[in-house]
Short mmCIF file of all heavy atoms in Angstrom, two decimals:
data_model
loop_
_atom_site.label_atom_id
_atom_site.label_comp_id
_atom_site.label_asym_id
_atom_site.label_seq_id
_atom_site.Cartn_x
_atom_site.Cartn_y
_atom_site.Cartn_z
N GLY A 1579 53.82 70.88 97.84
CA GLY A 1579 53.36 71.61 98.97
C GLY A 1579 52.51 72.77 98.66
O GLY A 1579 52.08 73.49 99.54
N SER A 1580 52.16 73.03 97.32
CA SER A 1580 51.32 74.14 96.98
C SER A 1580 50.55 73.84 95.74
O SER A 1580 50.64 72.82 95.20
CB SER A 1580 52.21 75.42 96.73
OG SER A 1580 52.77 75.33 95.43
N HIS A 1581 49.75 74.82 95.29
CA HIS A 1581 48.95 74.61 94.15
C HIS A 1581 49.73 74.62 92.83
O HIS A 1581 49.40 74.24 91.75
CB HIS A 1581 47.92 75.86 93.99
CG HIS A 1581 48.59 77.21 93.82
ND1 HIS A 1581 49.33 77.80 94.77
CD2 HIS A 1581 48.75 77.99 92.79
CE1 HIS A 1581 49.85 78.92 94.38
NE2 HIS A 1581 49.59 79.03 93.17
N LYS A 1582 51.05 75.08 92.92
CA LYS A 1582 51.85 75.28 91.67
C LYS A 1582 52.09 74.08 90.82
O LYS A 1582 52.21 74.23 89.56
CB LYS A 1582 53.14 76.03 92.06
CG LYS A 1582 52.87 77.48 92.57
CD LYS A 1582 54.05 78.34 92.47
CE LYS A 1582 53.79 79.77 92.76
NZ LYS A 1582 53.65 80.05 94.13
N GLN A 1609 58.52 77.96 96.01
CA GLN A 1609 57.46 77.10 95.78
C GLN A 1609 57.28 76.76 94.25
O GLN A 1609 57.11 75.57 93.88
CB GLN A 1609 56.08 77.67 96.14
CG GLN A 1609 55.96 77.93 97.58
CD GLN A 1609 55.25 76.69 98.25
OE1 GLN A 1609 55.45 75.66 97.73
NE2 GLN A 1609 54.66 76.91 99.43
N TRP A 1610 57.44 77.76 93.38
CA TRP A 1610 57.45 77.50 91.99
C TRP A 1610 58.54 76.73 91.46
O TRP A 1610 58.47 75.76 90.79
CB TRP A 1610 57.20 78.82 91.17
CG TRP A 1610 57.42 78.67 89.71
CD1 TRP A 1610 58.24 79.16 88.92
CD2 TRP A 1610 56.53 77.79 88.85
NE1 TRP A 1610 58.14 78.77 87.59
CE2 TRP A 1610 57.06 77.92 87.57
CE3 TRP A 1610 55.45 77.04 89.11
CZ2 TRP A 1610 56.44 77.27 86.45
CZ3 TRP A 1610 54.83 76.31 87.97
CH2 TRP A 1610 55.49 76.39 86.70
N GLY A 1698 55.40 80.73 86.60
CA GLY A 1698 54.54 80.01 87.55
C GLY A 1698 53.25 80.70 87.85
O GLY A 1698 52.37 80.18 88.63
N SER A 1699 53.02 81.94 87.27
CA SER A 1699 51.81 82.68 87.59
C SER A 1699 51.59 83.74 86.52
O SER A 1699 52.20 83.52 85.40
CB SER A 1699 51.92 83.44 88.91
OG SER A 1699 50.69 84.02 89.29
N VAL A 1700 50.73 84.59 86.66
CA VAL A 1700 50.45 85.79 85.79
C VAL A 1700 49.91 85.52 84.44
O VAL A 1700 48.91 86.10 84.06
CB VAL A 1700 51.78 86.62 85.59
CG1 VAL A 1700 51.50 87.91 84.76
CG2 VAL A 1700 52.37 87.00 86.98
N CYS A 1732 44.62 84.47 98.19
CA CYS A 1732 45.68 85.38 98.25
C CYS A 1732 46.24 85.63 96.84
O CYS A 1732 46.10 84.75 95.99
CB CYS A 1732 46.85 84.93 99.22
SG CYS A 1732 47.66 83.49 98.58
N THR A 1733 46.74 86.81 96.56
CA THR A 1733 47.25 87.08 95.22
C THR A 1733 48.65 87.62 95.26
O THR A 1733 49.04 88.59 95.81
CB THR A 1733 46.37 88.16 94.51
OG1 THR A 1733 46.22 89.27 95.42
CG2 THR A 1733 45.03 87.55 94.13
N GLY A 1734 49.51 86.84 94.53
CA GLY A 1734 50.89 87.21 94.18
C GLY A 1734 50.83 87.64 92.70
O GLY A 1734 50.64 88.85 92.36
N GLY A 1735 50.91 86.64 91.84
CA GLY A 1735 50.63 86.91 90.42
C GLY A 1735 49.20 86.65 90.10
O GLY A 1735 48.67 87.01 88.98
N GLY A 1736 48.44 86.01 90.95
CA GLY A 1736 47.00 85.77 90.79
C GLY A 1736 46.60 84.38 90.48
O GLY A 1736 45.29 84.17 90.39
N SER A 1737 47.46 83.41 90.51
CA SER A 1737 47.01 82.14 89.94
C SER A 1737 46.25 81.18 90.80
O SER A 1737 45.28 80.60 90.43
CB SER A 1737 48.23 81.36 89.33
OG SER A 1737 49.06 80.86 90.30
N ASN A 1738 46.62 81.17 92.20
CA ASN A 1738 45.72 80.32 92.98
C ASN A 1738 44.41 80.95 93.24
O ASN A 1738 43.45 80.23 93.31
CB ASN A 1738 46.54 79.88 94.32
CG ASN A 1738 46.28 80.91 95.37
OD1 ASN A 1738 45.34 80.95 96.17
ND2 ASN A 1738 47.25 81.99 95.53
N PHE A 1739 44.41 82.20 93.25
CA PHE A 1739 43.17 82.92 93.43
C PHE A 1739 42.26 82.66 92.21
O PHE A 1739 41.05 82.31 92.29
CB PHE A 1739 43.30 84.47 93.59
CG PHE A 1739 42.21 85.32 93.37
CD1 PHE A 1739 41.28 85.48 94.42
CD2 PHE A 1739 41.99 86.02 92.14
CE1 PHE A 1739 40.09 86.30 94.19
CE2 PHE A 1739 40.87 86.79 91.96
CZ PHE A 1739 39.94 86.94 92.99
N GLY A 1807 56.28 84.65 97.82
CA GLY A 1807 55.46 84.35 96.65
C GLY A 1807 54.58 85.48 96.25
O GLY A 1807 53.90 85.45 95.21
N LEU A 1808 54.40 86.47 97.16
CA LEU A 1808 53.59 87.70 96.80
C LEU A 1808 54.31 88.94 96.48
O LEU A 1808 53.79 90.00 96.40
CB LEU A 1808 52.69 87.91 98.08
CG LEU A 1808 51.81 86.72 98.55
CD1 LEU A 1808 50.90 87.22 99.69
CD2 LEU A 1808 50.94 86.05 97.49
N ALA A 1852 51.22 78.31 104.58
CA ALA A 1852 52.38 79.10 103.98
C ALA A 1852 52.05 80.54 104.24
O ALA A 1852 50.95 80.97 104.41
CB ALA A 1852 52.48 78.87 102.46
N GLU A 1854 52.14 83.04 102.44
CA GLU A 1854 51.21 83.59 101.41
C GLU A 1854 49.76 83.26 101.75
O GLU A 1854 48.96 84.21 101.75
CB GLU A 1854 51.59 83.04 100.07
CG GLU A 1854 52.93 83.41 99.40
CD GLU A 1854 54.04 82.53 99.96
OE1 GLU A 1854 53.80 81.52 100.70
OE2 GLU A 1854 55.25 82.78 99.71
N ALA A 1855 49.51 82.06 102.06
CA ALA A 1855 48.18 81.63 102.34
C ALA A 1855 47.58 82.26 103.57
O ALA A 1855 46.41 82.35 103.72
CB ALA A 1855 48.10 80.05 102.53
N SER A 1883 46.60 77.94 99.71
CA SER A 1883 47.40 77.73 98.64
C SER A 1883 48.55 76.84 98.80
O SER A 1883 49.12 76.22 97.85
CB SER A 1883 47.81 79.04 97.98
OG SER A 1883 48.46 79.90 99.00
N GLY A 1884 49.00 76.68 100.08
CA GLY A 1884 50.10 75.81 100.43
C GLY A 1884 50.38 75.70 101.78
O GLY A 1884 49.91 76.50 102.64
C1 PLP B 1347 53.37 81.22 94.71
C2 PLP B 1347 52.43 81.12 95.77
C3 PLP B 1347 51.40 82.06 95.93
C4 PLP B 1347 51.29 83.32 95.00
O1 PLP B 1347 51.10 83.06 93.62
P1 PLP B 1347 49.68 83.17 92.92
O2 PLP B 1347 50.08 82.98 91.50
O3 PLP B 1347 49.14 84.40 93.23
O4 PLP B 1347 48.93 82.03 93.44
C5 PLP B 1347 50.47 81.95 96.95
N1 PLP B 1347 50.71 80.93 97.79
C6 PLP B 1347 51.56 79.91 97.74
C7 PLP B 1347 51.58 78.85 98.72
C8 PLP B 1347 52.47 80.00 96.65
O5 PLP B 1347 53.43 79.15 96.56
#
Side-chain angles (χ1 to χ4, degrees):
S1580 77
H1581 64 289
K1582 290 199 172 81
Q1609 292 272 25
W1610 169 243
S1699 186
V1700 181
C1732 67
T1733 48
S1737 73
N1738 87 85
F1739 165 79
L1808 306 183
E1854 293 83 3
S1883 51

